[in-house]
Amino acid sequence: MATLRSPTLRYLFGGRSQCQRGVQRRWAQVHDVRFLATHRQPDRVIEKYKEKLDRKAREKGLKSVDELKEVYKDKIQSLKKKATIVTTPSPSIPSTSPFPRPPPAPRIPLNPPSDPLSQPTNQPAPPKVSNSPGVKTLSSFIDIPKTLELPQKEIEYIWRLRHVSAPQSLCATIPYSTYKRIESTARRHPQFILPLLREGQGAEIHFLQWTFPSPTTTTVLFTHLAEFKLRGEYSQPHTTVTHHLDLAGPKDLVLLQGTVVEGRGVTVDEGKWLLMCLQKFYGGGEDRGERKKLLAQFSRGDGGFKVEELLEEAEKIV
């Protein structure tokens, strides 16, 4: 059977459906649900409590519920405003957040027990810390109570072994009698300069400064003199040396520990040289008179201080 392809026939067969679609009507009604929910509810409430409202109106000497509503109009409006206040929920972390929830705040007792006997006795006492930030105490390196039980020679061996694996560290032990002489000179002359002899390059001058951050620690900071002149107190030391006095009384021993900062233009061997120079100038020895004079001249700012004499004294140490 041949297929109908004529445009006229397609129009005749399809015209009826187009006419039917043209006369369709929509009879559905759309109501505002919000209106129904808010305007019909008061009527239901009044119908439910009509008898009680009538009784209340009669007790107040009123004729109808409408008069009762008018009398309590202000109160009704106030209650409606309070009922429509929306509380803002506190923000919470969504369950899909990639960040973990913060831990709860620690509970701190309001009234800690003042009786020392009520405290647990099996807890170790917290280690003592230095008042100066960045300065480590001896307790951060060794167990002081256990170390005090050892003989002096064994303490020296353990102290050197403690720092042998640190390539940028300095380590030494000093008799307390020698240290007392060094500290006495350091308190009178807390600043000085020392030459660092470089083969074929002359000498490089370094500035040193003593600090006393706590009764059991004494620190020496070494800085390039050129950097100190340029940046002053903001200059960065390349070597730091700390003397620990915790064992000075019972063991007649001062433990020295230091660090040479890598990449600051000074090697560990050069840091050892500066440390040896420091002990010779501050601790005495042969020709101490000339070194003592240089220390005093530098502290006073004496114009007679000569770098050439400083170099001569440094060469005698080699």
Side-chain angles (χ1 to χ4, degrees):
M1 181 177 180
T3 306
L4 297 175
R5 296 181 179 276
S6 172
T8 305
L9 293 176
R10 287 201 303 268
Y11 176 78
L12 291 175
F13 281 96
R16 183 177 180 181
S17 61
Q18 291 176 358
C19 294
Q20 288 178 351
R21 287 195 296 269
V23 298
Q24 284 182 352
R25 296 289 186 271
R26 298 188 60 170
W27 302 100
Q29 295 182 3
V30 180
H31 297 281
D32 192 343
V33 179
R34 294 172 296 177
F35 177 83
L36 297 176
T38 57
H39 288 73
R40 290 186 178 181
Q41 187 175 359
D43 295 337
R44 292 199 301 267
V45 173
I46 292 175
E47 291 175 1
K48 184 177 181 180
Y49 297 99
K50 188 174 186 306
E51 295 182 0
K52 293 183 179 181
L53 292 173
D54 288 337
R55 190 183 312 115
K56 187 70 174 179
R58 290 194 299 269
E59 291 176 359
K60 296 292 183 180
L62 302 175
K63 296 180 181 180
S64 64
V65 177
D66 293 335
E67 292 183 3
L68 182 66
K69 290 167 62 179
E70 188 66 26
V71 172
Y72 288 95
K73 181 179 180 180
D74 295 337
K75 187 174 182 179
I76 293 172
Q77 293 297 330
S78 176
L79 294 174
K80 283 184 177 181
K81 289 181 179 180
K82 292 180 179 179
T84 56
I85 295 176
V86 180
T87 58
T88 305
S90 58
S92 60
I93 300 176
S95 58
T96 59
S97 174
F99 302 100
R101 293 181 178 273
R107 296 182 178 180
I108 301 175
L110 297 178
N111 297 317
S114 57
D115 186 4
L117 297 178
S118 63
Q119 300 289 346
T121 57
N122 56 352
Q123 293 184 357
K128 296 181 180 179
V129 296
S130 171
N131 296 329
S132 177
V135 178
K136 291 185 177 181
T137 59
L138 185 61
S139 59
S140 62
F141 295 99
I142 59 175
D143 188 330
I144 297 178
K146 291 183 179 180
T147 305
L148 289 173
E149 300 174 359
L150 303 175
Q152 182 176 332
K153 292 296 182 182
E154 192 169 346
I155 294 174
E156 294 177 0
Y157 174 77
I158 292 175
W159 183 246
R160 291 188 175 91
L161 189 64
R162 172 66 176 76
H163 296 87
V164 71
S165 60
Q168 297 297 123
S169 69
L170 303 175
C171 175
T173 58
I174 307 172
Y176 185 43
S177 57
T178 302
Y179 171 79
K180 286 193 294 184
R181 192 163 57 247
I182 294 175
E183 181 183 348
S184 176
T185 307
R187 291 188 179 276
R188 294 195 305 270
H189 310 294
Q191 296 177 346
F192 194 55
I193 59 173
L194 289 175
L196 182 59
L197 305 177
R198 297 182 184 272
E199 187 175 356
Q201 300 180 8
E204 186 179 75
I205 306 302
H206 293 258
F207 176 78
L208 70 88
Q209 183 175 9
W210 288 81
T211 62
F212 304 90
S214 76
T216 58
T217 53
T218 303
T219 303
V220 188
L221 306 176
F222 291 91
T223 312
H224 292 280
L225 181 61
E227 181 179 357
F228 184 80
K229 286 183 176 180
L230 180 65
R231 305 182 62 185
E233 60 182 0
Y234 298 103
S235 58
Q236 297 294 325
H238 57 72
T239 303
T240 304
V241 177
T242 302
H243 302 80
H244 299 281
L245 311 179
D246 304 73
L247 309 182
K251 294 297 180 180
D252 193 29
L253 196 64
V254 175
L255 303 182
L256 181 148
Q257 167 265 330
T259 302
V260 179
V261 181
E262 190 174 3
R264 294 279 174 84
V266 175
T267 65
V268 176
D269 289 336
E270 291 171 342
K272 292 178 180 179
W273 158 259
L274 290 173
L275 182 57
M276 183 174 62
C277 243
L278 170 80
Q279 293 178 353
K280 293 296 183 180
F281 271 86
Y282 281 83
E286 296 180 1
D287 301 327
R288 185 173 183 271
E290 189 65 24
R291 296 169 189 167
K292 183 179 179 181
K293 183 194 76 172
L294 291 171
L295 285 167
Q297 287 179 337
F298 186 86
S299 298
R300 294 195 307 264
D302 192 338
F305 179 86
K306 296 180 181 180
V307 178
E308 292 79 6
E309 296 180 359
L310 178 67
L311 294 174
E312 291 178 3
E313 292 299 319
E315 289 175 353
K316 294 177 182 178
I317 300 174
V318 180

